[in-house]
Amino acid sequence: MESAYDVIVVGGGHAGAEAAVAAARAIGSGARVALVTSSVETIGQMSCNPAIGGVAKGTVVREIDALGGIMGRAIDRATIQFRMLNRGKGPAVWAPRAQADRGLYRRAVRSLLEEHPGVSLVQGTVRQLLFAPGDPAVRGVETMEGRRFSARAVVITTGTFLRGRIHIGTDTALAGGRAGEQSTTHLAEQLAAVGLTVERFKTGTPPRIDGRSVDYSALERQESELADFDYRWSALDTARPAPLEQLACWIAFADTPTKQIVADHINESAMYGGAIGARGPRYCPSIEDKIVRFPDAERHQLFLEPEGLDTHELYVNGLSTSLPAKVQIEMLRSVRGLEQVEMTRAGYAIEYDYYPPTQLHPWLEVRAIDGLFLAGQINGTTGYEEAGGQGVLAGLNAGLRARDRAPLVLGRESSYIGVLVDDLVTRGVDEPYRLFTSRSEFRLTVRQDNALHRLAPIGLAQGIYTDAERAGIDARASEYDRLWQVARETSARPDLVERLVTAAGGLPLHHAVRVVELAKRNGVALEDVLTAVGVTESFSRDELTTVDLEIKYSGYFEKERFAANRLARMAELPLPADAPYERMKTLSMESRQKLAARRPQTIAQASSIPGVSPADLQNLVLEIERLRQPQAALASDSALASDAALTE
């Protein structure tokens, strides 16, 4: 063996980077972790959209950070456009999303890896895993160059590279993990040979265009909101890098001319022309899927998003395609504002191997192979954030295995990462898995603003933080407790808060109340109340947001916990064979379709269907109860009628 490591991570994408750091943190002083990748230059590469966060995904980034990961730190160093999504729905479900400078983000990830003690970077393509004769435990890896490294645990995070195949139209197909990079076949063949079940998924990417050829006067401008929020993704990073120059995004629309071009050439698409048989992500459809599935839609929204500060290239979000390149150019130029556009890179679809995640333990270790962990798209997921969340958990557990410690399992009530992994290992996937808030039954208590409060106790118990990080966590906890104390003990006199109450449309106060009581009102922010009553003590925006939400939504939090407990008790509730799932509007469209197709006999069976979320299960219980109430009333009326007939 050339070198001995505690943990080896295969792959340098978002899952791999997080796994390497997490493993080193879990092992602690003297850790030896190797990240083996085919190119150290592409570590942290954003293969698709150069953006981090979004609905549910933004919360995952904060959770990765709270567990010592680097995604939040990297995007803080690379943000060139920031938006807070869901602002019209209230702060409890706000979702941060940042557009990144693609090059700066990649360099930030590599820098953060190289700064971390115990992590080494090794360039090479892994040919095979190493096993001792007759031993079902992994012992290391061998690269295509013949280099052999031993390890007590191995984490595979190869993304779309296992037997990846790129398609542009029906006539152009080439092996590749992404454009310009070779796929991996030897490792894929070995994993199949050792007995792992393997299946295929597909994903895609849109074309890129030269921003200098765009007529921006015909587009809608979307400014960054970073200055409005002074938002920082990382709660543990004491460096707090200065914000970069912020760029605008632009909104365009693919309407009738574009739709007609796609329809005319649909058989030339790799997906619809028969070149690809694998299933793609339902919630990130290609433009071909949109035209076929939503024929009555008048237009489809496109976002032109900047790739970086040092380039004019734009990412055309919403136009993912596997049509031939010449058709892509025609399609782009049919969009208002893009009549003279130049395409810098064609979009493409890619097929790749994944391993159904029901083959994994809840700590992401392969059930049949001791010491082997899988994380990222190899488990059938899609998205940088989903990959990073799995990488953190797999890396932590690989490090714990190297120290002969018990594995860490994150519960659904603790995090979106816990929801993600539980969904994967218990239900599996029948399409590339993407996180949504609807997948969690605790989405009001598991928020982006309180990730550190939720997960720091777990990290402290595992000993993964530096001294400076522990001090920061203690300071945040003290500030949180102090803010609650001030809110409970400070009085708000009517004359001091009259203007604030009136502006919120509330009833005036007739006597003084505690700040915590006044802050329960909708439209009355805790920070504004504290200012109005003369509290001069300074509190961070994160803590003000968290305490304000906990004051306002305390009743909802209790309802969430009650509903989850009730669902557990009703697992064996029988479901009618003729239940009208299509008419159950409280369920998501996906759940309605899958329940109607599968016709489960009980709530427990319904919960095992991929895509039927815990929130939908709760609503399903209510829908079934509504169905039974008229039947119960009818049965009661019939019984009364029979009694009356007998008495006559």
Side-chain angles (χ1 to χ4, degrees):
M1 294 290 179
E2 179 177 327
S3 297
Y5 292 97
D6 299 304
V7 174
I8 292 174
V9 177
V10 181
H14 305 281
E18 301 298 348
V21 170
R25 284 181 177 268
I27 296 167
S29 178
R32 283 181 53 78
V33 175
L35 188 155
V36 183
T37 176
S38 58
S39 172
V40 296
E41 299 301 325
T42 57
I43 289 173
Q45 178 83 306
M46 298 175 125
S47 303
C48 197
N49 188 6
I52 293 292
V55 177
K57 293 168 175 279
T59 304
V60 173
V61 180
R62 300 300 299 269
E63 292 174 354
I64 291 169
D65 175 70
L67 291 171
I70 61 176
M71 184 174 281
R73 301 180 192 224
I75 191 60
D76 276 339
R77 288 160 169 75
T79 294
I80 57 175
Q81 219 261 3
F82 176 85
R83 304 283 294 181
M84 186 66 81
L85 308 181
N86 278 351
R87 290 180 66 181
K89 298 183 179 180
V93 291
W94 284 5
R97 182 184 186 274
Q99 197 74 18
D101 181 300
R102 188 187 295 274
L104 289 178
Y105 184 88
R106 184 182 68 247
R107 291 192 287 275
V109 170
R110 180 172 176 180
S111 176
L112 290 163
L113 280 168
E114 291 181 335
E115 290 172 6
H116 203 284
V119 176
S120 300
L121 305 182
V122 177
Q123 182 161 300
T125 300
V126 171
R127 176 201 296 272
Q128 64 178 346
L129 302 173
L130 300 178
F131 299 92
D135 188 350
V138 67
R139 297 301 183 191
V141 303
E142 179 183 336
T143 71
M144 297 294 289
E145 301 81 6
R147 304 174 71 183
R148 294 164 66 91
F149 306 98
S150 67
R152 300 196 64 189
V154 174
V155 186
I156 300 181
T157 67
T158 45
T160 60
F161 277 73
L162 292 184
R163 290 195 282 215
R165 191 163 182 81
I166 292 171
H167 297 266
I168 304 175
T170 54
D171 298 328
T172 302
L174 58 152
R178 57 180 167 232
E181 297 183 55
Q182 289 298 310
S183 60
T184 300
T185 58
H186 293 80
L187 180 59
E189 290 168 356
Q190 185 194 27
L191 291 174
V194 298
L196 292 187
T197 300
V198 58
E199 296 183 12
R200 300 277 279 178
F201 272 159
K202 80 98 179 174
T203 188
T205 188
R208 273 75 155 178
I209 60 176
D210 188 333
R212 294 171 297 182
S213 60
V214 173
D215 177 10
Y216 293 104
S217 66
L219 307 180
E220 179 183 336
R221 185 183 180 97
Q222 191 177 64
E223 298 289 357
S224 174
E225 298 175 335
L226 185 64
D228 297 340
F229 289 89
D230 188 27
Y231 195 85
R232 292 295 185 274
W233 292 85
S234 178
L236 294 176
D237 189 3
T238 57
R240 194 174 173 84
L244 300 173
E245 176 189 352
Q246 297 296 288
L247 303 182
C249 288
W250 303 86
I251 299 176
F253 294 94
D255 51 23
T256 301
T258 313
K259 292 169 60 179
Q260 189 60 53
I261 291 169
V262 175
D264 290 345
H265 295 275
I266 194 71
N267 290 332
E268 298 174 51
S269 162
M271 189 69 178
Y272 284 89
I276 296 178
R279 187 164 187 176
R282 173 195 297 250
Y283 297 104
C284 188
S286 66
I287 188 64
E288 297 97 298
D289 284 332
K290 292 177 183 178
I291 301 306
V292 171
R293 288 166 49 189
F294 309 107
D296 297 330
E298 292 185 7
R299 60 183 187 174
H300 298 282
Q301 194 171 54
L302 308 176
F303 291 90
L304 309 186
E305 299 172 327
E307 294 262 330
L309 296 173
D310 60 353
T311 177
H312 294 286
E313 194 171 39
L314 299 174
Y315 180 94
V316 188
N317 194 352
L319 206 67
S320 178
T321 183
S322 62
L323 285 163
K326 64 179 181 180
V327 179
Q328 293 186 37
I329 295 173
E330 183 182 358
M331 182 170 60
L332 284 166
R333 290 178 178 172
S334 70
V335 175
R336 186 168 179 265
L338 307 185
E339 292 86 353
Q340 305 299 320
V341 79
E342 295 294 333
M343 185 172 71
T344 55
R345 286 184 265 186
Y348 59 86
I350 181 169
E351 276 187 298
Y352 56 94
D353 284 359
Y354 81 95
Y355 297 85
T358 50
Q359 300 173 94
L360 304 176
H361 290 291
W363 52 93
L364 296 181
E365 185 177 16
V366 176
R367 294 179 185 273
I369 304 175
D370 293 345
L372 181 62
F373 297 79
L374 307 183
Q377 280 184 277
I378 194 172
N379 288 336
T381 64
T382 181
Y384 306 146
E385 302 82 4
E386 287 89 344
Q390 293 171 73
V392 164
L393 186 61
L396 286 173
N397 279 306
L400 292 173
R401 169 169 273 280
R403 294 177 60 189
D404 294 320
R405 291 181 54 186
L408 171 66
V409 176
L410 296 178
R412 299 182 69 92
E413 76 289 346
S414 73
S415 60
Y416 270 106
I417 297 176
V419 171
L420 162 67
V421 174
D422 183 61
D423 281 352
L424 293 177
V425 302
T426 61
R427 302 181 184 186
V429 293
D430 58 4
E431 63 185 9
Y433 180 99
R434 181 179 178 182
L435 265 175
F436 294 98
T437 54
S438 61
R439 297 194 188 274
S440 172
E441 60 270 54
F442 296 99
R443 55 188 176 276
L444 288 182
T445 52
V446 177
R447 307 183 309 274
Q448 60 90 19
D449 63 274
N450 67 358
L452 189 64
H453 288 295
R454 289 186 278 114
L455 295 175
I458 295 172
L460 289 168
Q462 299 295 338
I464 65 174
Y465 301 122
T466 65
D467 291 343
E469 289 166 349
R470 283 194 297 272
I473 291 168
D474 290 343
R476 288 282 298 269
S478 297
E479 183 183 23
Y480 173 86
D481 292 340
R482 174 60 183 157
L483 181 52
W484 266 110
Q485 181 183 13
V486 170
R488 289 184 177 122
E489 296 179 356
T490 305
S491 291
R493 297 201 322 262
D495 59 312
L496 296 177
V497 297
E498 179 180 3
R499 182 178 301 177
L500 190 63
V501 171
T502 302
L507 297 174
L509 297 179
H510 298 294
H511 56 80
V513 298
R514 299 295 181 186
V515 166
V516 69
E517 294 301 320
L518 185 56
K520 290 180 179 179
R521 296 191 179 193
N522 288 332
V524 178
L526 174 61
E527 183 178 9
D528 294 339
V529 178
L530 294 175
T531 300
V533 301
V535 173
T536 58
E537 194 170 346
S538 178
F539 297 99
S540 69
R541 184 170 296 277
D542 277 347
E543 297 311 316
L544 284 165
T545 299
T546 297
V547 174
D548 193 8
L549 291 174
E550 290 182 357
I551 289 172
K552 285 182 169 59
Y553 293 97
S554 59
Y556 290 100
F557 300 160
E558 291 303 317
K559 288 181 180 178
E560 277 192 351
R561 296 186 182 98
F562 174 80
N565 292 334
R566 183 169 178 267
L567 183 61
R569 293 194 304 269
M570 300 192 70
E572 296 308 315
L573 175 71
L575 299 175
D578 58 350
Y581 296 113
E582 297 88 346
R583 299 202 301 271
M584 296 181 179
K585 302 301 184 184
T586 62
L587 309 185
S588 69
M589 179 63 73
E590 179 182 3
S591 288
R592 278 181 264 165
Q593 292 172 349
K594 291 187 173 181
L595 288 167
R598 301 283 185 89
R599 293 287 165 185
Q601 295 180 336
T602 65
I603 289 289
Q605 289 183 8
S607 70
S608 68
I609 299 174
V612 178
S613 71
D616 281 331
L617 291 173
Q618 293 178 15
N619 290 334
L620 178 58
V621 170
L622 297 177
E623 292 279 6
I624 296 304
E625 288 181 348
R626 291 192 191 103
L627 286 174
R628 287 178 175 162
Q629 285 171 0
Q631 294 173 357
L634 181 61
S636 177
D637 291 344
S638 297
L640 289 173
S642 297
D643 289 345
L646 288 172
T647 56
E648 290 175 357

